[in-house]
Amino acid sequence: MKKANDICSLISDEFSANSYSENLINAVCSLYRYMKLNRWTGACHASSAVLYVVLRELGYKPRLCIGEVYGKHLYFDHSWIELDGKVIDLAISMTLFHHMAVTGPVILDKDVVSGKKTAVRYGVPGRGIEEGCSVMMNTPFTLYMDLNSSQNDHLWDIVSIILDKKIDIDRLSIKYRNVQRELVRI
């Protein structure tokens, strides 16, 4: 198993090869390190929400996606980010399935560990969206950010950690109050 810093080097290489900024690279690596340090398994909804806000605050226009994915012979509900039409998915490497990695972190459609296009299929029709995912889709974004405390920090606190600066939570709550996860079905 590769260490977080080794994975961050691979993440950095992929973003750099596609001409993304150092700020974006640092933010994604910081989130990945946070997830590893805090054993943030099964945190696809939380990590994608945090990454969505972070990327928006850095001036990018990500999509916050939710749907079914297929990988390792399993269909499961999942959340991820799309940036410039390509998947960014750190949580896929830290699933609830006995902490099994379905793949390495996916950066711009590529499994950075294998160096190949990810074999995971996003937005596929499988068993249908389950109740837990349906609830997630219908929970107002800022309420989710305010109340999610399944980890040591609330999600706004994690945004602040990843951006490495104090944030105005009230301002961000207003700014992101109309955000909704986009159901992806291919």
Side-chain angles (χ1 to χ4, degrees):
M1 183 73 167
K2 291 187 183 265
K3 293 183 178 181
N5 286 337
D6 296 336
I7 297 294
C8 282
S9 179
L10 297 172
I11 289 170
S12 177
D13 291 348
E14 191 60 33
F15 279 126
S16 293
N18 286 279
S19 302
Y20 283 92
S21 76
E22 196 69 29
N23 285 342
L24 178 139
I25 293 167
N26 291 338
V28 174
C29 285
S30 179
L31 179 57
Y32 183 78
R33 285 186 191 105
Y34 180 92
M35 292 170 71
K36 292 297 278 187
L37 179 67
N38 291 282
R39 294 187 171 112
W40 225 13
T41 57
C44 65
H45 303 312
S47 62
S48 63
V50 167
L51 189 55
Y52 177 83
V53 172
V54 166
L55 292 177
R56 293 288 302 190
E57 291 301 299
L58 292 175
Y60 292 92
K61 295 180 180 173
R63 280 179 68 201
L64 180 58
C65 302
I66 195 166
E68 288 180 282
V69 300
Y70 180 76
K72 292 270 187 181
H73 310 292
L74 300 168
Y75 286 98
F76 54 97
D77 295 343
H78 194 61
S79 286
W80 66 93
I81 293 292
E82 288 185 8
L83 183 63
D84 299 328
K86 295 185 176 184
V87 172
I88 299 174
D89 186 2
L90 302 176
I92 198 77
S93 65
M94 302 175 217
T95 70
L96 284 174
F97 300 112
H98 308 290
H99 308 286
M100 173 185 75
V102 173
T103 182
V106 174
I107 302 298
L108 305 174
D109 292 341
K110 190 176 192 180
D111 172 348
V112 295
V113 173
S114 73
K116 298 177 182 173
K117 182 173 171 50
T118 183
V120 175
R121 295 181 11 231
Y122 290 83
V124 297
R127 302 175 317 228
I129 298 297
E130 295 175 5
E131 184 178 345
C133 196
S134 181
V135 168
M136 174 58 53
M137 288 172 27
N138 294 308
T139 299
F141 183 76
T142 53
L143 178 63
Y144 180 74
M145 294 291 288
D146 291 341
L147 298 179
N148 187 302
S149 59
S150 61
Q151 306 302 322
N152 295 331
D153 300 305
H154 292 273
L155 296 183
W156 293 117
D157 296 330
I158 299 168
V159 168
S160 181
I161 291 166
I162 303 309
L163 288 172
D164 194 27
K165 67 180 185 178
K166 184 168 175 42
I167 60 171
D168 181 342
I169 294 172
D170 292 334
R171 182 185 69 78
L172 292 181
S173 288
I174 292 168
K175 182 176 180 179
Y176 294 103
R177 71 176 170 236
N178 295 321
V179 169
Q180 293 184 322
R181 293 177 190 269
E182 297 180 45
L183 177 61
V184 175
R185 287 283 194 157
I186 56 170

